[in-house]
Amino acid sequence: MEIIIRKGGADDIPAILGMLDSAVAWLNGKGITDQWGTEPWSARPKAVRQVEETVIEGNPWIAEIDGVPAGTLTLTPHPGPHVPRVEEPELYVRLLTIDGRFHGRGVGAALLAHAAEETRRQGLSLLRVDCFAGSGGRLVAYYEGQGFTPTDTFTVGDWRGQILERRF
């Protein structure tokens, strides 16, 4: 199994929404409903707008296995609106998601390694990401295993988030 990472674009928005919907179903199947809720992203107009705006503003990347979109992330020069900005140039990982059919196959690690390469290629020394801090911190631990260090936390309503960084 080979993971190919290609540059994405606005034409990939339907596939990105499909991967987000699949991830919600996968999480819900594991009993995790407080991370992304229970409603598909594609059924929530505000979420669809968020994806469209992020993808158009940033640099989306699509990981494919056998030509099938298996995961995605979009790199932007700053975080989304709920995360404090920093006073130095950075790349920020947004919309990182893995299609539920491809969990456990190294897709997330490949995308994060690609994000690190892009950070270095652009001559930057800071790559940040944020994630859900609930569910016993499993996602935070995943990012730590990928070389990230937890920094600040934030909340959006009842949703608890963790910001992590990786320096080069």
Side-chain angles (χ1 to χ4, degrees):
M1 169 203 78
E2 184 180 9
I3 299 169
I4 304 293
I5 298 177
R6 67 166 173 84
K7 181 81 175 82
D11 290 350
D12 291 300
I13 290 171
I16 292 169
L17 286 166
M19 287 184 271
L20 288 161
D21 288 351
S22 173
V24 168
W26 184 85
L27 287 165
N28 290 178
K30 299 276 186 196
I32 301 169
T33 59
D34 48 350
Q35 182 173 337
W36 281 352
T38 57
E39 190 176 4
W41 281 60
S42 61
R44 297 181 284 148
K46 185 177 176 184
V48 171
R49 275 193 310 281
Q50 175 195 347
V51 169
E52 291 169 345
E53 290 168 3
T54 302
V55 166
I56 289 166
E57 167 194 17
N59 291 304
W61 297 93
I62 308 293
E64 295 180 337
I65 296 176
D66 296 328
V68 178
T72 185
L73 63 72
T74 298
L75 297 173
T76 60
H78 55 77
H82 302 293
V83 173
R85 295 188 183 209
V86 293
E87 296 297 322
E88 67 181 285
E90 71 174 321
L91 280 184
Y92 207 94
V93 175
R94 297 174 64 190
L95 299 177
L96 174 61
T97 192
I98 310 307
D99 185 297
R101 298 171 293 173
F102 296 97
H103 271 270
R105 294 174 72 178
V107 176
L111 283 164
L112 289 169
H114 183 77
E117 289 171 21
E118 277 296 301
T119 304
R120 288 190 292 267
R121 187 185 68 73
Q122 293 184 29
L124 301 174
S125 60
L126 179 61
L127 176 65
R128 291 197 306 157
V129 65
D130 64 78
C131 69
F132 180 59
S135 293
R138 288 191 301 258
L139 198 49
V140 174
Y142 171 79
Y143 283 111
E144 288 177 312
Q146 298 299 316
F148 287 83
T149 302
T151 58
D152 299 316
T153 60
F154 66 101
T155 57
V156 179
D158 293 336
W159 194 91
R160 295 181 306 120
Q162 174 70 57
I163 303 166
L164 301 100
E165 70 177 24
R166 188 167 171 200
R167 294 211 171 257
F168 304 94

